[in-house]
């Protein structure tokens, strides 16, 4: 089979493989991490990030880290079967923006953070709230959910949401309003926000096919 691959066919194989890779990454990637914490209100967004990341880094029974298909009705109980109190939450959402979607985006998250929390986009704080937050399934009261706008360029982006809950952990949700869209969409494995492979991914693919070509030469 290798002997029958000429330069033209090899090029087509590389292109089709890359296209398949891009096509397979057709949705946001959502990670939920929780940890035990009795920490309460923090002074700023950076403190929420530091405090929560320290808590989720320590393995504890009833807490954990995993990927979820839909960012809706998320709680420590529903995801890990753990306790509903003294919970630190770290939500990570990786998503891609196409050239057509570049522009103004809006993000909102209905949370249950009894001691507040913070939101970061690409490592930069969008804001924080240092009071009891419980959206109760409604975006009617702005003090009870996060809502931030940002201008996004084409490419990969990461949204981080950090929070501290005393009691009693309820279902949470995160959504986006893409540039040019008419309504909010819940982050999920079917939201169509394709993550774009990094340059190193293409480099690795190129190295792999270079080795393929060397093997072909040796066979001849």
């Amino acid at each position: 089979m290798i002997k029958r691959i000429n330069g033209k066919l090899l090029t087509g194989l590389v292109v089709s493989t890359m296209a398949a890779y891009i096509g397979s990454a057709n949705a946001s990637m959502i990670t939920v991490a929780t940890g035990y914490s009795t920490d309460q209100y923090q002074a700023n967004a950076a403190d929420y990030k530091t405090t929560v990341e320290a808590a989720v880094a320590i393995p504890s029974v009833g807490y954990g880290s995993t990927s979820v298909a839909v960012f809706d009705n998320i709680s420590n109980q529903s995801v890990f079967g753990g306790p509903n109190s003294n919970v630190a939450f770290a939500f990570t959402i990786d998503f891609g923006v196409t050239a057509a979607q570049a522009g103004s985006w809006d993000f909102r998250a209905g949370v249950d953070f009894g001691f507040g929390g913070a939101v970061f986009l690409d490592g930069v704080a969008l804001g924080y709230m240092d009071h009891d937050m419980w959206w109760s399934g409604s975006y009617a009261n702005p003090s009870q959910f996060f809502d931030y706008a940002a201008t996004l360029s084409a490419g990969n982006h990461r949204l981080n949401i950090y929070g501290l809950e005393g009691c009693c952990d309820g279902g949470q949700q995160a959504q986006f309003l893409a540039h040019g869209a008419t309504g909010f969409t819940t982050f999920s494995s079917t939201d169509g926000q394709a993550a774009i492979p990094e340059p190193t991914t293409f480099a690795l693919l190129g190295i792999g096919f270079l080795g393929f070509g060397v093997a072909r030469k040796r066979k001849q």
Side-chain angles (χ1 to χ4, degrees):
M1 182 64 71
I2 293 176
K3 290 182 180 180
R4 292 198 294 270
I5 295 179
N6 57 37
K8 184 176 180 181
L9 287 177
L10 180 59
T11 301
L13 183 59
V14 171
V15 172
S16 64
T17 301
M18 289 182 175
Y21 181 92
I22 296 172
S24 67
N26 61 355
S28 300
M29 294 176 286
I30 307 162
T31 303
V32 176
T34 64
Y36 174 80
S37 177
T38 57
D39 289 295
Q40 300 186 8
Y41 306 107
Q42 301 296 300
N44 50 54
D47 285 351
Y48 275 107
K49 179 178 184 293
T50 300
T51 299
V52 170
E53 287 185 341
V56 302
I58 302 173
S60 302
V61 176
Y63 306 87
S65 178
T66 190
S67 297
V68 296
V70 184
F71 201 138
D72 193 24
N73 200 30
I74 298 297
S75 69
N76 191 55
Q77 299 175 83
S78 65
V79 177
F80 301 108
N84 67 354
S85 59
N86 298 326
V87 185
F89 288 97
F91 301 127
T92 302
I93 307 170
D94 291 299
F95 63 99
V97 173
T98 66
Q101 294 175 318
S104 179
W105 281 54
D106 193 33
F107 303 96
R108 69 183 185 184
V111 298
D112 186 9
F113 295 161
F115 296 116
V119 179
F120 285 73
L121 178 64
D122 296 331
V124 178
L126 293 179
Y128 75 100
M129 293 191 182
D130 58 355
H131 58 257
D132 185 1
M133 300 178 69
W134 170 226
W135 76 306
S136 190
S138 171
Y139 288 108
N141 184 348
S143 71
Q144 298 301 294
F145 63 92
F146 293 115
D147 187 6
Y148 298 111
T151 300
L152 299 186
S153 60
N156 291 339
H157 297 276
R158 170 170 288 182
L159 186 70
N160 294 102
I161 304 171
Y162 301 99
L164 298 167
E165 168 64 3
C167 181
C168 303
D169 159 43
Q172 305 176 74
Q173 179 188 78
Q175 298 184 321
F176 64 90
L177 177 63
H179 176 69
T182 57
F184 279 92
T185 299
T186 299
F187 284 106
S188 73
S189 61
T190 57
D191 61 17
Q193 298 309 117
I196 302 167
E198 299 294 340
T200 51
T201 300
F202 287 109
L204 288 172
L205 281 170
I207 291 170
F209 283 110
L210 178 61
F212 202 33
V214 171
R216 174 176 172 265
K217 280 189 175 181
R218 288 177 178 172
K219 289 265 184 190
Q220 289 176 335

